[in-house]
């Protein structure tokens, strides 16, 4: 599973009122068991005290190139060598200019220049400063160096103006940072994931559906994105927010999912169908709510198309097709039958009868069956951990 645990992350804080927000980020990373070291520019120390970051990170905060207590150490070299990733946030106009021009007149810019680790920059400043050609050119230069940038958000700024310049939210930043720390074995691959239930309308007030929460599919989409995939998530109605960096295609019914998936799958390298698609829909949709006293107690149904079956028919050479099988008994036999019938490379069979697997649970257990006869029972684990294990197998197929 992609994770911050054990990673050495250097955070460079520069002079902006948004510096206080980064205290929360340091705390979140420390809770995720990352080893965080903060470097503050002189200007940053006017907004937030180093003690705040030291307390939250559990590590000494660095601020000077030539600290009196540094002894023989060269902090810029030690910090640069140890970093698995460098996050510059908030990045002021001054710091962007320093980094773009390779200046070494403060510790932060010197560490970035000396490091080989990936760099993620989160600018924050007044919108005029942000849109000034000098700042735009500096950002272009930084992108040219291979640095990654999370654009600031638009809205009310601390200076009282409105515009683009607000430090991006942590929810947008952490996936970019984690992606820099994750092996990119799906880079350049288009991955289509389906998730959630479908709803089959009876009338404007009622529908047929199932207990899928979307957790399994969303975990797969997030993990595929972190591993560098270009991810499209075709999702039925769920209470979940789409992971940042994933393109969401919301659908409601099986017929809508059919259209969306077939359109996206045409040029996909990998398709993973974790959605619980309704096999049947009401044969008739009543335009007005059916009155209780008029209801006919038998509901006529008709079959929905089997999306995965159709994907199997259309499967291109080299495309990897992964299905799920929701079962209540004999996972192996039922899974193998679906694997063969739908022309899949891999199927993940799960028990939807137990409390800690299948629908809505945070955990799951998957029996992976492959077209070459392989069979592997993955352990009971979080859906995120299982998503990573499943994608390890997919990446191996692609390789
Ligand atoms: O969403 P969660 O709460 O996290 O729950 C996860 C899950 C239990 C929904 C998931 O792990 C799972 O098992 N998904 C598949 C559910 C299902 O519809 O299984 P099935 O055995 O009925 O279908 C087999 C495969 O055919 C599935 O990949 C399904 O997406 C696909 N299918 C089914 C019917 C249909 N009309 N079109 C399809 O594409």
């Amino acid at each position: 599973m992609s994770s911050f645990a054990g990673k050495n992350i250097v955070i460079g804080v520069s002079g902006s009122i948004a510096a206080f927000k980064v205290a929360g980020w340091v705390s979140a990373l420390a809770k995720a068991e990352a080893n965080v070291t903060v470097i503050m520019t002189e200007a940053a120390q006017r907004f937030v005290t180093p003690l705040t970051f030291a307390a939250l990170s559990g590590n000494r905060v660095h601020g000077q190139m030539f600290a009196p207590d540094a002894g023989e150490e060269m902090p810029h070299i030690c910090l640069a060598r140890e970093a698995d990733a460098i996050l510059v946030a908030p990045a002021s106009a001054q710091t962007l200019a320093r980094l773009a021009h390779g200046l070494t007149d403060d510790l932060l810019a010197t560490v970035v220049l000396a490091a080989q680790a990936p760099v993620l920059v989160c600018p924050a400043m007044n919108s005029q400063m942000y849109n000034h050609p000098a700042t735009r050119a500096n950002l272009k230069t930084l992108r040219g160096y291979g640095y990654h940038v999370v654009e600031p958000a638009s809205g009310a700024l601390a200076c009282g103006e409105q515009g683009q310049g607000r430090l991006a939210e942590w929810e947008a930043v952490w996936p970019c940072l984690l992606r820099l720390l994750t092996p990119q074995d799906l880079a350049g691959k288009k991955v289509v994931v389906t998730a959630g239930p479908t709803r089959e309308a009876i009338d404007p007030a009622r529908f047929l559906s199932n207990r899928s929460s979307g957790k399994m599919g969303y975990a797969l989409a997030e993990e595929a994105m972190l591993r560098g995939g270009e991810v499209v998530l075709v999702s039925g109605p769920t209470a979940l927010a789409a992971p940042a960096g994933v393109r969401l295609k919301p659908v409601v019914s099986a017929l809508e999912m059919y259209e969306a998936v077939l359109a996206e799958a045409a040029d996909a390298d990998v398709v993973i169908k974790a959605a619980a698609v309704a096999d049947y829909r009401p044969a008739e949709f009543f335009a007005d709510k059916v009155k209780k006293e008029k209801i006919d107690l038998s509901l006529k149904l008709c079959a929905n198309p089997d999306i995965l079956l159709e994907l199997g028919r259309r499967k291109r050479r080299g495309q990897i097709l992964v299905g799920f099988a929701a079962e209540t008994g004999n996972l192996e036999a039922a899974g193998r039958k679906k694997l063969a019938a739908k022309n899949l490379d891999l199927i993940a069979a799960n028990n939807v009868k137990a409390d800690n697997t299948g629908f809505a649970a945070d955990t799951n257990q998957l029996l992976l069956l492959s077209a070459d006869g392989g069979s592997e029972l993955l352990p009971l684990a979080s859906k995120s951990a299982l998503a990573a294990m499943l994608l390890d197998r997919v990446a191996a197929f692609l390789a």
Side-chain angles (χ1 to χ4, degrees), residues 28-52:
L29 285 168
K31 278 191 193 128
E33 295 173 31
N35 179 33
V36 183
T37 308
V38 175
I39 301 172
M40 299 182 78
T41 65
E42 218 175 292
Q45 295 175 44
R46 294 179 180 249
F47 289 95
V48 181
T49 68
L51 185 60
T52 303

Side-chain angles (χ1 to χ4, degrees), residues 329-346:
N330 205 342
L331 268 59
E332 170 115 38
R336 284 246 167 257
K337 208 168 153 195
K338 288 177 183 172
L339 177 83
K342 302 190 186 199
N343 188 22
L344 309 179
D345 298 283
L346 192 65

Side-chain angles (χ1 to χ4, degrees), residues 30-319:
K31 278 191 193 128
E33 295 173 31
N35 179 33
V36 183
T37 308
V38 175
I39 301 172
M40 299 182 78
T41 65
E42 218 175 292
Q45 295 175 44
R46 294 179 180 249
F47 289 95
V48 181
T49 68
L51 185 60
T52 303
F53 288 111
L56 292 170
S57 67
N59 285 322
R60 174 183 165 190
V61 171
H62 300 261
Q64 294 175 39
M65 279 283 275
F66 304 104
D69 57 347
E72 299 299 306
E73 271 181 29
M74 289 193 284
H76 64 289
I77 299 297
C78 300
L79 291 167
R81 273 196 196 133
E82 284 162 15
D84 293 313
I86 300 180
L87 171 65
V88 184
S92 65
Q94 168 73 19
T95 288
L96 292 180
R98 275 201 184 105
L99 300 182
H101 295 280
L103 301 184
T104 55
D105 59 347
D106 78 355
L107 180 62
L108 172 57
T110 311
V111 168
V112 175
L113 198 66
Q116 290 188 332
V119 179
L120 180 64
V121 175
C122 302
M125 66 198 73
N126 163 276
S127 60
Q128 303 296 334
M129 293 166 75
Y130 186 66
N131 288 313
H132 192 284
T135 305
R136 308 307 304 180
N138 288 335
L139 278 168
K140 193 170 170 201
T141 301
L142 295 179
R143 286 193 167 101
Y145 296 158
Y147 296 1
H148 303 262
V149 178
V150 182
E151 296 275 345
S154 295
L157 302 172
C159 56
E161 291 177 18
Q162 291 276 337
Q164 190 177 12
R166 289 167 65 91
L167 183 67
E169 294 298 329
W170 179 231
E171 285 65 34
V173 174
W174 75 256
C176 300
L177 183 61
L178 188 50
R179 195 167 167 153
L180 297 183
L181 296 161
T182 304
Q184 298 294 285
D185 52 8
L186 294 179
K189 303 292 179 195
K190 179 175 175 183
V191 182
V192 176
V193 180
T194 72
T198 63
R199 283 182 186 171
E200 312 302 321
I202 300 170
D203 66 19
R206 306 178 179 98
F207 54 79
L208 300 175
S209 192
N210 59 62
R211 292 174 48 227
S212 171
S213 64
K215 287 177 189 171
M216 191 68 243
Y218 279 57
L220 282 158
E222 181 168 286
E223 181 66 22
M225 175 278 296
L226 291 172
R227 295 162 85 132
E230 178 212 331
V231 182
V232 181
L233 175 61
V234 181
S235 175
T238 73
L240 305 175
V246 163
R247 181 154 61 87
L248 177 71
K249 272 201 147 184
V251 296
V252 177
S253 66
L255 288 178
E256 283 177 24
M257 187 173 276
Y258 179 86
E259 294 298 333
V261 171
L262 289 184
E264 290 295 345
D267 62 348
D269 299 287
V270 180
V271 183
I272 307 178
K273 285 226 68 242
V277 186
D279 291 313
Y280 299 96
R281 65 179 184 277
E284 185 183 0
F285 173 71
F286 299 95
D288 295 309
K289 187 179 171 210
V290 181
K291 296 284 175 213
K292 199 164 77 178
E293 48 286 1
K294 278 206 189 151
I295 209 141
D296 177 353
L297 288 180
S298 62
L299 185 65
K300 199 156 179 247
L301 301 176
C302 65
N304 274 325
D306 190 319
I307 307 168
L308 194 51
L309 187 75
E310 187 55 33
L311 288 170
R313 281 193 193 121
R314 298 186 188 191
K315 188 162 79 167
R316 289 181 293 104
R317 213 177 139 77
Q319 190 177 53

